[in-house]
Amino acid sequence: MAYVSMGEAHRRITEYLNRFYDAVSYQDGASLKFLLSLSSNSPSLLSLADALNVYQDANRLIKQSDKYSQLGEILVPLFRALQTYRLANLIDAYQSFEKASKVDYSAFIQEFRNWDSAWALEALYVVAYEIRILAEKADRELGSNGKPPEKLKAAGSFLMKVFGVLAGKGTKRVGALYVTCQLFKVYFKLGTVNLCRSVIRSIETARIFDFEEFPKRDKVTYMYYTGRLEVFNENFPAADHKLSYALKNCNPYNEANIRMILKYLIPVKLSIGILPKDWLLEKYNLIEYRNVVQSLKRGDLRLLRQALTEHEDRFLRSGVYLVLEKLELQVYQRLLKKIYILQRQKDPIKAHQLKLEIIVKALKWLEIEMDLDEVECIVAILIYKNLVKGYFAHKSKVVVLSKQDPFPKLNGKPVNS
């Protein structure tokens, strides 16, 4: 930190107070949001934090001024948050910022509630974002000190109260979806995704909300997270709809966000029989799916299992491992289809009769040991799931395939459960 004189510190603090007061007085939400962006590390806020750590009597400037004192319940803890954040005391920074924004205090959220119009909506978005980011950083500090992380959970409770402030009538309600998305990020981080349900119900069933009136950015984020929830619930048609919406409406130049969406959309598409092009995997650095796709094309069960083993940690972290593991049935279907095609070339008349021992040999060639009973069980499941049309001739250990469409395509529908 460069040397700051007492006079220079006083000037910086007064300048900030004037800017804050003017932003509120003239309802300048664009200016106000930058004054609240604690974690942005903007040069102006960093220089203010340095000034606050030199000029220790800033609170007196606020309390003694009729101009600033009416905003004192916001400004005093906000100054404390700026100071402690600059000094890397993240726990104190979170607590102070929360107090400056507290729903139960006559602070920023209370002021926002009282303002007639939604002019400060962008500033409220910053408050919601900062609360989450500061809570995450504070929890990392708590964890490094051997203490249980608790701030992100508190941030979730705080954001639920903010959601309640926005879930009313009037123009402010368009901010509810942004706060919802911040809540999703909290719940996913904490592993408490079940808490998303109550917020989703409010958004999707409450008559006060019209989804189309929300900003496009927030709709894309909302569909991304609710699409991920549908993946966890194995509701693949709904997941496909939501994630496809997010992909279609995402900023085409934001490759990082597109990659995040595809990371979940690709397993969903694979589950309903739609394979991505190799260039797509290459462009968005999703090559962990390449061998999964190849295994489906070839009917190569060994390749699928190798891909799942190689990228197990990544797939488990994403929550798609079990989805990909269930692709085995489609791989078996493709293997049987390849055997059928080869038989049709040699003996078209008997091509629809697949001997179980031929399937056993094909699996053995893939270094997968199965006996006749195990193969018969797999084929029975394929028939039950409508991935194969046919029946067993048990005495001769033969699968008799339908002469019409023996291997139905999924056509964008999930495998029958």
Side-chain angles (χ1 to χ4, degrees):
M1 182 180 77
Y3 171 75
V4 180
S5 68
M6 192 67 73
E8 174 61 17
H10 183 277
R11 186 195 66 77
R12 291 181 190 180
I13 294 167
T14 304
E15 181 185 35
Y16 178 88
L17 290 171
N18 285 332
R19 289 173 63 196
F20 198 100
Y21 177 81
D22 288 345
V24 174
S25 298
Y26 296 108
Q27 298 191 349
D28 183 357
S31 296
L32 185 59
K33 72 176 184 179
F34 290 114
L35 299 174
L36 294 165
S37 300
L38 194 69
S39 67
S40 66
N41 292 323
S42 71
S44 61
L45 289 182
L46 290 176
S47 66
L48 172 63
D50 290 340
L52 289 167
N53 284 313
V54 169
Y55 193 94
Q56 298 291 331
D57 212 13
N59 292 348
R60 185 174 56 83
L61 287 177
I62 298 169
K63 293 174 183 177
Q64 289 182 352
S65 168
D66 292 338
K67 183 178 178 181
Y68 308 136
S69 60
Q70 58 186 302
L71 298 170
E73 291 191 12
I74 301 174
L75 290 166
V76 170
L78 182 59
F79 275 2
R80 175 67 179 169
L82 282 161
Q83 281 181 279
T84 51
Y85 185 78
R86 182 62 162 149
L87 297 172
N89 184 347
L90 301 170
I91 299 169
D92 199 358
Y94 168 79
Q95 290 170 334
S96 298
F97 192 85
E98 186 189 51
K99 188 174 182 181
S101 316
K102 198 76 173 177
V103 178
D104 299 330
Y105 285 72
S106 179
F108 181 80
I109 303 300
Q110 187 60 49
E111 291 291 340
F112 180 86
R113 183 186 280 148
N114 294 334
W115 290 325
D116 292 333
S117 68
W119 69 267
L121 207 51
E122 288 293 331
L124 182 72
Y125 293 162
V126 169
V127 168
Y129 172 82
E130 291 290 341
I131 280 289
R132 179 178 65 82
I133 295 299
L134 290 173
E136 289 180 4
K137 293 183 176 184
D139 276 355
R140 283 196 290 272
E141 185 176 310
L142 284 166
S144 67
N145 294 335
K147 297 178 180 178
E150 57 184 13
K151 300 306 179 187
L152 193 58
K153 184 177 179 181
S157 299
F158 171 86
L159 289 169
M160 272 303 296
K161 292 176 182 177
V162 178
F163 179 84
V165 171
L166 294 168
K169 297 179 180 179
T171 55
K172 295 178 185 177
R173 67 173 180 263
V174 298
L177 201 63
Y178 180 88
V179 176
T180 296
C181 294
Q182 294 300 315
L183 275 166
F184 285 166
K185 292 175 182 181
V186 169
Y187 295 151
F188 273 78
K189 186 86 173 178
L190 292 173
T192 55
V193 294
N194 58 302
L195 297 177
C196 296
R197 293 173 187 165
S198 61
V199 192
I200 292 171
R201 278 197 300 270
S202 297
I203 292 292
E204 297 187 0
T205 62
R207 294 182 180 179
I208 59 170
F209 293 119
D210 178 0
F211 190 73
E212 291 309 312
E213 77 178 4
F214 291 119
K216 186 176 182 180
R217 170 199 66 185
D218 299 338
K219 289 190 288 187
V220 168
T221 306
Y222 179 84
M223 288 300 226
Y224 165 72
Y225 278 104
T226 53
R228 283 182 61 180
L229 285 172
E230 298 296 359
V231 174
F232 296 153
N233 295 330
E234 297 188 12
N235 186 351
F236 297 129
D240 182 32
H241 167 71
K242 291 174 182 289
L243 291 169
S244 294
Y245 177 98
L247 182 64
K248 181 180 178 181
N249 293 281
C250 181
N251 182 341
Y253 300 106
N254 194 329
E255 292 195 2
N257 283 354
I258 292 172
R259 185 181 183 280
M260 284 172 60
I261 297 167
L262 287 173
K263 191 162 67 172
Y264 296 94
L265 184 56
I266 286 172
V268 169
K269 291 291 189 184
L270 293 176
S271 298
I272 58 178
I274 300 171
L275 308 186
K277 303 292 185 183
D278 195 58
W279 67 262
L280 186 75
L281 304 180
E282 188 74 35
K283 180 177 180 180
Y284 294 105
N285 192 27
L286 291 163
I287 55 175
E288 64 266 28
Y289 290 111
R290 180 175 286 161
N291 282 343
V292 176
V293 174
Q294 288 301 316
S295 71
L296 286 162
K297 289 179 178 179
R298 299 176 191 171
D300 190 338
L301 190 62
R302 175 179 56 183
L303 186 60
L304 175 64
R305 290 179 177 177
Q306 286 173 349
L308 292 177
T309 300
E310 182 182 354
H311 302 290
E312 182 176 6
D313 288 345
R314 186 176 296 182
F315 292 146
L316 285 171
R317 283 197 306 270
S318 299
V320 298
Y321 183 88
L322 293 178
V323 176
L324 296 172
E325 193 177 44
K326 290 183 179 181
L327 295 175
E328 280 200 359
L329 287 178
Q330 290 187 51
V331 176
Y332 279 118
Q333 182 205 45
R334 181 62 183 167
L335 178 62
L336 266 62
K337 187 174 182 179
K338 290 185 76 172
I339 296 170
Y340 166 75
I341 291 169
L342 288 171
Q343 284 197 174
R344 191 172 60 187
Q345 292 171 352
K346 293 180 180 178
D347 188 353
I349 296 175
K350 294 185 177 180
H352 64 287
Q353 297 178 19
L354 290 189
K355 291 183 179 180
L356 293 181
E357 63 180 295
I358 298 296
I359 302 172
V360 170
K361 287 179 181 178
L363 288 167
K364 190 171 184 178
W365 184 79
L366 292 170
E367 299 177 359
I368 295 172
E369 296 289 338
M370 281 193 187
D371 59 28
L372 286 172
D373 290 339
E374 288 174 307
V375 168
E376 184 173 347
C377 181
I378 293 293
V379 176
I381 293 171
L382 293 174
I383 293 171
Y384 175 74
K385 299 281 189 181
N386 200 36
L387 288 169
V388 171
K389 285 184 180 178
Y391 62 90
F392 283 111
H394 289 284
K395 288 184 179 180
S396 53
K397 296 291 183 179
V398 168
V399 185
V400 182
L401 299 172
S402 169
K403 292 184 178 180
Q404 290 187 340
D405 192 22
F407 302 99
K409 293 181 179 179
L410 292 175
N411 291 324
K413 296 179 181 179
V415 175
N416 292 341
S417 43

